[in-house]
Amino acid sequence: VFAGVRQAQWLTKTKLVEGLPPAVQGIVDNPALGLQELEERAKHMVSHARLWDTAEAAPKREKYCPVLFENLIHVCRLMSGKYPSLSKRMLARNCRIAATWERESILLQVRGLSGILMNSMTPIPPVASKEEILATKEHVLETFYPIAPTIDLQEVNVYKELNDTGQRFRDGYPYSHPHTLFFLESANARTDRFRPEQLRAKMLMFAFGNALAKARVLHGNDPKVLEQPVVVQSIGTDGQLFQFMVFQLNTTDLVSNDGIKNLVWIDSDQNLYERAQCVPEVKKGVVMKPAGISGFQPDTFKKFLALYLHGTV
């Protein structure tokens, strides 16, 4: 997506709000939840992923990024003693998604592997009020004139308008609600990884795709403003820098630029720590930089945990 999030906003008819929605920020800021009790453990898990789970002087990202993710999920699961409904979650890997929609006179489709998907037995409640949703009518979507908003999208012949959620949202599947998508940008070579802005655009497109597919299972294929909006979250990381996103699908009426828009909240470029020094840096017998994790940011961990807890606490 050439213009990143701005282009993804046009394609998905979405208004952007900077930062986390109050429902999530409230979890981060609530001392009664005891998130701070897990900070030391989270720091310990960063050290494990970056320093101990390897014999190399400089472990590769493709190794430590997935390990860090598993470690953070493990810490999040520790909250299920306090909140038993957290155990009613399912992590699905290599999930495929296909969702098709029309925008102005263009048929669009998002399809492919949508990272790791955490499903839940219950949906995340809407994060924007009815008033906030109505207010999106006034929002004017940015256009890219004279550039087409579909520039650099892959053009294919669509013989079948796919709307496929795999097995995940079928009748009878207990974990039928998409909760949070996780994208691990773990390629070692920088050129093989999405830049943060590209990653945020990908996160938005796939959160939208999952929400749209779920909305159609619930409400049918006719374009409409949803009585009960569908919320899907997304977290992206390269093993150090995190992107947080909460997407709310308010409408499946996507053809025109008028009317109700969808909403996305994005908290960008949050470092979990500043540096991981695997072996001490020594100059002339003096330790210049000791081994270990420096600049651990507990707030970034708390945001990760808050998105995990969202819809339960």
Side-chain angles (χ1 to χ4, degrees), residues 182-202:
F182 299 95
F183 292 97
L184 309 183
E185 281 299 308
S186 54
N188 289 322
R190 190 178 285 269
T191 48
D192 295 339
R193 294 196 302 271
F194 275 45
R195 294 191 308 277
E197 177 64 15
Q198 294 173 309
L199 176 57
R200 289 190 290 270
K202 178 182 175 181

Side-chain angles (χ1 to χ4, degrees), residues 175-242:
Y175 307 98
S176 62
H177 297 278
H179 188 285
T180 305
L181 287 159
F182 299 95
F183 292 97
L184 309 183
E185 281 299 308
S186 54
N188 289 322
R190 190 178 285 269
T191 48
D192 295 339
R193 294 196 302 271
F194 275 45
R195 294 191 308 277
E197 177 64 15
Q198 294 173 309
L199 176 57
R200 289 190 290 270
K202 178 182 175 181
M203 287 163 63
L204 175 49
M205 294 306 297
F206 277 99
F208 166 82
N210 275 276
L212 184 62
K214 180 63 185 173
R216 288 186 173 147
V217 169
L218 291 171
H219 308 294
N221 290 333
D222 292 341
K224 58 168 82 73
V225 174
L226 303 175
E227 270 297 301
Q228 188 70 9
V230 179
V231 176
V232 178
Q233 304 180 141
S234 199
I235 297 176
T237 184
D238 64 1
Q240 181 175 9
L241 192 68
F242 282 72

Side-chain angles (χ1 to χ4, degrees), residues 106-178:
I106 310 154
L107 191 65
L108 297 164
Q109 186 174 66
V110 60
R111 63 191 294 181
L113 286 173
S114 64
I116 300 165
L117 175 63
M118 183 166 70
N119 291 313
S120 173
M121 280 185 161
T122 51
I124 300 173
V127 285
S129 66
K130 294 263 195 292
E131 293 73 36
E132 288 171 279
I133 294 167
L134 278 173
T136 64
K137 281 185 174 181
E138 308 304 314
H139 179 70
V140 178
L141 291 162
E142 179 182 7
T143 59
F144 300 90
Y145 185 82
I147 300 167
T150 52
I151 187 171
D152 86 350
L153 297 186
Q154 188 182 350
E155 206 167 304
V156 291
N157 292 323
V158 178
Y159 299 107
K160 188 177 171 201
E161 287 187 31
L162 276 178
N163 285 292
D164 179 26
T165 59
Q167 295 297 326
R168 293 161 299 130
F169 306 142
R170 300 273 158 81
D171 289 349
Y173 180 61
Y175 307 98
S176 62
H177 297 278

Side-chain angles (χ1 to χ4, degrees), residues 3 63-64 68 94 138 141 177 209 229 264:
K63 177 90 193 292
Y64 70 71
L68 178 66
N94 298 326
E138 308 304 314
L141 291 162
H177 297 278
V264 69

Side-chain angles (χ1 to χ4, degrees), residues 19 26-27 46 73 98 109 126-127 199 202 206 243 254 281:
I27 299 172
V46 174
I73 288 289
Q109 186 174 66
V127 285
L199 176 57
K202 178 182 175 181
F206 277 99
Q243 318 293 335
L254 304 161
E281 192 178 299

Side-chain angles (χ1 to χ4, degrees), residues 242-296:
F242 282 72
Q243 318 293 335
F244 300 107
M245 181 178 293
V246 179
F247 176 80
Q248 179 167 308
L249 186 77
N250 298 318
T251 181
T252 59
D253 187 358
L254 304 161
V255 175
S256 87
N257 288 322
D258 302 331
I260 300 278
K261 316 295 185 298
N262 298 310
L263 282 161
V264 69
W265 291 259
I266 302 181
D267 194 15
S268 306
D269 298 337
Q270 303 293 308
N271 257 331
L272 182 60
Y273 55 93
E274 271 155 33
R275 198 177 67 246
Q277 193 76 24
C278 299
V279 289
E281 192 178 299
V282 182
K283 276 189 185 161
K284 296 178 181 170
V286 179
V287 175
M288 308 299 285
K289 289 178 187 166
I293 301 293
S294 57
F296 177 72

